[in-house]
Amino acid sequence: VTVLRQKNMALGDLFIALTEQELGGMGFTLASPKDAEQRGSQVSLTHENGYAIVQALIARGVVGDFRAPDILRFGFAAPYVRYVDIWDSVAHIREVMETNEWDRPEFKERRAVT
């Protein structure tokens, strides 16, 4: 396993641990394998309001993408993503949920590209 792959796995593990710790009770479910050896360099969550949540995050500078019907997907490129970026991203997700920011009309408007 290369150093970059090891970091990708560690970033994904941290993201999963933080989402479990910080987003419990907010309707998210892990859609990716928990075992880093069984997943690529991304982690997917499901949420019934996934599209609007992803749009709200993108507006905050957290880049993820949406896959119908309810998947929020976050990729981790080891050369560019730092561990602090994972902490900050999960904090943004929590804020988007706690403030209902995702519920704004502009985030619910479907676009051709997510």
Side-chain angles (χ1 to χ4, degrees), residues 11 20-21 54 70 76-77 84 91 94 106-107:
L11 290 168
E20 289 174 346
Q21 175 183 307
V54 167
D70 60 358
F76 310 110
V84 68
R94 184 176 178 91
E106 66 266 31
F107 298 138

Side-chain angles (χ1 to χ4, degrees), residues 1-18 34-37 39-43 75-78 81-87 90:
V1 177
T2 69
V3 171
L4 290 178
R5 176 69 179 130
Q6 288 175 338
K7 184 176 177 189
N8 279 342
M9 291 188 299
L11 290 168
D13 288 343
L14 178 60
F15 184 81
I16 290 169
L18 289 174
K34 199 165 190 176
D35 180 1
E37 294 290 338
R39 66 172 188 268
S41 298
Q42 60 87 27
V43 173
F76 310 110
V81 177
R82 305 166 301 163
Y83 293 100
V84 68
D85 296 327
I86 302 300
W87 284 87
V90 174

